[in-house]
Each structure stands twice: as structure tokens, then as C-alpha cells.
Amino acid sequence: MSEVLVVVDHVDGAVKKPTFELLTIARRLGEPSAVFFGSPDKGAEAAEKLGKHGAEKVYVVDDAEIKGYLVAPKAEALQQLVDKTSPAAVLFVSGYEGKEVAARLAIKIGAGLITDAVDVDDSGTTTQSVFAGSYTVKAKVTQGVPLITVKPNSAPVEEVGAAGTVEAFAATVSDSAKKAQIVASQPRKASGRPELTEAAIVVSGGRGTGGDFAPIEGLADALGAAVGASRAAVDSGWMPHSFQVGQTGKVVSPQLYVANGISGAIQHRAGMQTSKTIVAVNKDEEAPIFELVDFGVVGDLHKVLPAATEAIVKH
Ligand code: FAD
């Protein structure tokens, strides 16, 4: 069986959940190997967790020389690793960086690229939700090593093995790949809540909140969820743009999406339609959001959400 390379998404060695989901998918396609850009120390630490989730091998690409740069050096390093390993596929987390590295790699190796898959089966056929969720597309790469970016929450996290074997991989990075340098990087103020695109549960609020997000945040905290917002709420200055879900915001695909005081405009749907279970609270029973929900509550969110939160906290 061929190797399947999984590019690890991590912050300072702490591997993020979507990478473990990729390892579940990689096991369907071949023998998973993780590719970790970072120091050898952090790579060895991460290899333990990556191995437990199915990575038989962990290639550690020491990024001492390349971490100060944007994505181009990573694409070059991956090209060299693909040449060495001839993998059955390379999987990335669908995020800004994953998609850009994948696109650059696709050009370099002349391979087909599929972005934003929400599922990949054992034949390498992907499922995507396109045109604001109005079509489900099945696609398969027909040229070169399949490169696939997969949205968070598209597969379960499974613990299956022991620590992965660490293998140092020395990449040669050309000067031409070092044209854009990171000059500063500042961590976001921690909210204690999961990251929006990775959260298993998202509780969102719209114009119907009237600017009072306390009921949204209360329910989110009771459920261990991330908070999202419609563009109307963001444009009103009630929440920062980083919370916006939709066509011009973030695309989320959680296990549970709770839309409160959100009408369900097509541009909002584009960002949440692939959520596994959708719940809406809206005082207008004709609101379009009710067309796509699994469960709907017709009522005032300022009454419904505190009652739901209280009931959840009690249990
Ligand atoms: P509204 O449409 O005003 O709906 C408010 C809802 O709240 C109503 O259904 C109402 O019945 C309900 N409500 C009111 N009070 C209560 C209450 N007390 N309790 C319960 N329910 C209540 N939108 C996005 O969200 N994300 C995007 O990325 C995005 N991108 C866009 C890109 C373009 C190019 C364009 C043109 C638009 C975009 N939009 C986007 C905007 C989108 O078209 C809608 O205007 C927006 O989603 C509406 O937000 P909303 O549902 O919060 O507000």
C-alpha cells in the first residue's frame, strides 16, 4: 500500500483536531504518514499523538530556515517529499494556508487538486458542496498525485495506533521561494472557546439578537461551542468580522449549527449548509432558514436561549 501524506496543522507543536480527521481519511486511501513543519523537538512530541491517530511515519521538516516565510517554501519542501515518497495522495486541512500550499504544489508537480472536500471515500472520490450549497459534487483527481483539501469536521477522530516513527526530512528551499517574509505574528486574544472553523458545535446570532449576544454566548459556553454571526450582525458592529459565517466570511461544517435570529439568506447558507445537524430559533415561522433545519423553534431567542441554556447546564 502506498503512503498518504497528511500535512499537519499545528500551533507550536500542538496538533489541531482537523489533522486527526485527515488521518482517519488517509487510512481509507493507504498508509498515513504525517508531514510536520517545525523543530525536531516539537516534531518528536507531536509524533506521539499523530501515531495514535494512525500516522505510521512522521516526516519532520525542520523549519528553522523557512518558518519566517509564507507558504512558498512549504510547497517546495512538499514537492521534494512527493518526489521521494510517490504518495497515493496528499491531504491538507482546508484553510487559507492549506489551500495555498496545495495550489502551489499542484502547479509544481502537475497534479490535480480538489479543495473543500467534505468527504473522501476509499476510491479517492471526494464530495464537495458548491454554489452556496445548492449542488453536491462528486469528483476525483485524474492527473498526478491527488491533492485534496478537506474541511474541518468532515471525518471522525479515531485513536488506532502507537507513536509514529519520526524521520527527519531535510528540504532544500530556493531563494525564489523566500519572497514574502512574516514580519510580525500575534496570537489572537484567547476566548476560551474553540476556533470557529474547527468547532464541533457553532452557535450563531444575527440581526434578530438586536445586538445582545449574551444569550448566544451563554448557550455556546454551555455547549462548549464556538460563536458565529451573520453579516448583518457583523456589519452592525456587534461582532468582529472574524466571527462572520457565510460566503464572505468563514465556512463551517460542524456536527451541530444553531442559527438564532438569522433569516437564512443564501450567502449565510453558503457558510453553514454542510453542517450535520442544523437548528434554528426564529420568531418568524416563514423565515427561509426553516427550509434547511433539522429542528426549528419559532420563538423569541431572548426567551428560548436562556431557557435552553439553563436546561443544559442543569443536566
Ligand atoms: P435578517 O435577514 O435581517 O434576519 C433577521 C432574522 O431575525 C429574521 O428572520 C427575523 O425574523 C429574526 N428575528 C428578529 N428578532 C428575533 C428574535 N427576537 N428572536 C428570534 N428571531 C428574531 N450574510 C452572511 O450572513 N454571511 C455572509 O458571508 C454574507 N455575504 C454576503 C455577500 C454578498 C455579496 C451579499 C450581497 C450579501 C452577503 N450577506 C452575507 C448578507 C445576506 O444577504 C443577508 O443580508 C444577511 O445574512 C442577513 O443577516 P441576518 O439573517 O442576521 O438578518
Side-chain angles (χ1 to χ4, degrees), residues 175-295:
D175 285 344
S176 67
K178 295 181 177 174
K179 283 182 180 154
Q181 194 166 19
I182 297 167
V183 289
S185 129
Q186 204 178 357
R188 235 184 344 206
K189 215 167 71 192
S191 66
R193 297 194 185 107
E195 213 281 310
L196 183 55
T197 54
E198 292 170 15
I201 306 177
V202 174
V203 180
S204 284
R207 203 192 310 270
T209 61
D212 175 12
F213 262 67
I216 309 291
E217 293 179 322
L219 180 62
D221 290 341
L223 291 170
V227 170
S230 72
R231 178 158 154 183
V234 169
D235 285 351
S236 303
W238 301 336
M239 296 304 274
H241 181 258
S242 57
F243 285 65
Q244 185 175 316
V245 172
Q247 188 180 313
T248 44
K250 290 187 174 153
V251 177
V252 300
S253 195
Q255 297 297 325
L256 172 64
Y257 187 87
V258 190
N260 305 286
I262 293 176
S263 59
I266 185 92
Q267 297 89 352
H268 187 79
R269 292 178 185 211
M272 44 67 74
Q273 185 142 330
T274 55
S275 305
K276 310 291 175 297
T277 301
I278 300 172
V279 175
V281 179
N282 197 302
K283 68 178 188 186
D284 174 10
E285 63 179 43
E286 302 288 326
I289 190 83
F290 285 129
E291 289 162 15
L292 76 160
V293 298
D294 298 283
F295 302 98

Side-chain angles (χ1 to χ4, degrees), residues 4-7 78 82 87-92 105 109 145-149:
V4 177
L5 300 180
V6 166
V7 180
L78 282 171
V82 167
V90 187
L91 306 181
F92 304 80
L105 180 61
I109 65 174
V145 177
L147 308 180
I148 304 170
T149 80

